[in-house]
Amino acid sequence: MNHEDPVLLHTEGRIRHITLNRPRALNALNHTMVLRMAEALDAAERDDSVAAVLLTGAGERGLCAGGDIRAIRDDALAGGGTALDFWRDEYRLNARIARFSKPYVAIMDGIVMGGGVGVSAHGSIRIVTERSRIAMPETGIGFVPDVGGTYLLGRAPGELGTHLALTGAAVGAADALLCGLAGHFVPSRELPGLTAALELCTTPSDIATTVRRYAGAAPGGELAAQRGWIDSCYSAGTVEEIVERLGDCGESAAKETAATILAKSPTALKVTLEAVRRARRLDRLEAALDQEFRVSSTAFTRPDLVEGVRAQIVDKDRNPRWSPAALTEVTDADVETFFASLGDGELGLDTPAAP
């Protein structure tokens, strides 16, 4: 095993370990990592000696901070298309994880954002700890939740998913469980013991029983107590009306949330609201991923993604100059272009198989 590899693979007992190994970049995903993960899953599924896969992240800070958005920005500035190739394979991996035939155990310890959610929250066993901070922060960089995020957030209780999608807010363990982004809470101090116990398991039922044995109640979250104003405000038909309701509802947290939303890309906000609501009506993750690929492909050609990454990651001045700059300048027709067919360029995950 080469410890310089961006994805480390090894087997202990009947558990195939997949470790994301770019700790200095908080294990941000690049194309090589996506392809290596897909190959590892194919090999694990064929190997009868492998009972389950266990995904972790190297380092102490988290599982994965998302995709390598610097590289995506560079590609956009150069007029390239490698980002589209990356997303195509990444979204296929997300679907692959959701349909993996053996237990897929994801340890969502520490920071789990964007693409990190995509390689963990679609798994069959998703474990959070008291250190978990989970988010889909795309609107802050002029982008839209992807990697199946609109599908997951669209199925959160009430309007909690809409709230997380528009604000990009990070949630802890209890709120991740409430929103369906994770399935079990295990204290971080118990992870070594859990890992060792999993390595002694031989069947899927053993694995499920072992996880339940280590799991417990998560420390209290915040969203359950905020459901009233969140559901009321975010049920509005437009982003403008959501912001207005947040400002008028009398809750200080809601007013702060309105200010948070207004700092995001107006185009990304409107497309995100539409994407989550459309995803809510879809019955398969693959259909949502197809939709997200259309949206991502269009966002790649628009100025806000390049500008958002510049402001947040490159120059770090936190002062993006969005174009258009106001919600009222983004029309319904503008939003609709993000959902238009790509023709021969479609991802095609939800295409019916030939008879």
Side-chain angles (χ1 to χ4, degrees):
M1 180 170 59
N2 182 354
H3 291 279
E4 297 301 316
D5 286 346
V7 176
L8 302 179
L9 305 172
H10 75 282
T11 302
E12 295 290 342
R14 297 191 63 190
I15 302 299
R16 187 63 165 164
H17 289 257
I18 300 178
T19 304
L20 305 181
N21 188 42
R22 295 181 69 209
R24 291 181 182 176
L26 227 169
N27 301 317
L29 295 172
N30 58 32
H31 204 164
T32 297
M33 295 167 74
V34 166
L35 295 175
R36 288 288 297 277
M37 285 190 68
E39 291 169 359
L41 292 183
D42 287 345
E45 199 156 47
R46 291 192 303 265
D47 190 341
D48 291 341
S49 71
V50 173
V53 161
L54 177 64
L55 178 72
T56 56
E60 299 297 322
R61 298 170 60 199
L63 174 66
C64 175
D68 190 341
I69 56 176
R70 278 180 178 265
I72 291 170
R73 178 179 186 268
D74 290 345
D75 186 37
L77 287 171
T82 58
L84 303 186
D85 295 333
F86 166 68
W87 285 325
R88 191 179 294 276
D89 287 327
E90 183 183 26
Y91 300 175
R92 286 171 175 161
L93 174 64
N94 302 145
R96 180 82 175 84
I97 289 167
R99 307 300 177 217
F100 192 60
S101 64
K102 298 178 181 182
Y104 181 100
V105 184
I107 305 296
M108 303 169 73
D109 187 32
I111 294 173
V112 185
M113 295 185 177
V117 174
V119 296
S120 58
H122 300 301
S124 55
I125 299 177
R126 306 157 304 160
I127 295 167
V128 285
T129 76
E130 77 284 355
R131 301 187 299 206
S132 296
R133 299 299 294 167
I134 300 171
M136 296 298 295
E138 286 79 7
T139 55
I141 59 165
F143 197 49
V144 177
D146 64 339
V147 298
T150 61
Y151 186 82
L152 293 167
L153 294 175
R155 280 152 180 75
E159 296 293 336
L160 293 181
T162 310
H163 169 66
L164 296 183
L166 294 183
T167 62
V171 297
D175 290 333
L177 294 166
L178 173 63
C179 291
L181 300 174
H184 303 276
F185 171 79
V186 174
S188 58
R189 67 177 182 277
E190 298 289 347
L191 293 179
L194 170 62
T195 300
L198 288 173
E199 291 169 352
L200 298 175
C201 294
T202 59
T203 68
S205 62
D206 290 343
I207 290 163
T209 299
T210 297
V211 171
R212 286 195 298 269
R213 189 169 75 244
Y214 278 82
E222 300 176 0
L223 292 181
Q226 298 174 343
R227 274 289 301 277
W229 64 261
I230 287 176
D231 288 353
S232 175
C233 294
Y234 286 94
S235 63
T238 66
V239 178
E240 291 95 327
E241 189 178 353
I242 289 171
V243 171
E244 182 178 358
R245 289 189 187 184
L246 288 168
D248 291 345
C249 83
E251 294 281 349
S252 60
K255 294 182 185 297
E256 293 170 4
T257 298
T260 295
I261 290 174
L262 288 173
K264 312 297 184 184
S265 158
T267 300
L269 288 169
K270 288 202 168 182
V271 176
T272 293
L273 181 62
E274 182 67 15
V276 171
R277 290 185 171 169
R278 290 191 185 203
R280 191 178 286 165
R281 299 192 294 268
L282 299 174
D283 59 2
R284 280 169 51 84
L285 170 63
E286 287 82 357
L289 289 165
D290 283 349
Q291 174 178 281
E292 289 174 354
F293 188 73
R294 296 180 199 114
V295 170
S296 298
S297 296
T298 303
F300 182 70
T301 68
R302 303 301 172 87
D304 278 4
L305 176 58
V306 166
E307 172 62 9
V309 177
R310 179 206 64 76
Q312 300 296 335
I313 305 298
V314 180
D315 297 338
K316 299 183 180 179
D317 59 25
R318 308 291 192 266
N319 186 33
R321 295 179 289 275
W322 305 122
S323 178
L327 287 167
T328 54
E329 298 174 30
V330 183
T331 68
D332 291 346
D334 293 333
V335 172
E336 191 63 32
T337 62
F338 284 76
F339 298 90
S341 171
L342 300 174
D344 292 341
E346 286 281 309
L347 181 61
L349 281 174
D350 202 41
T351 303

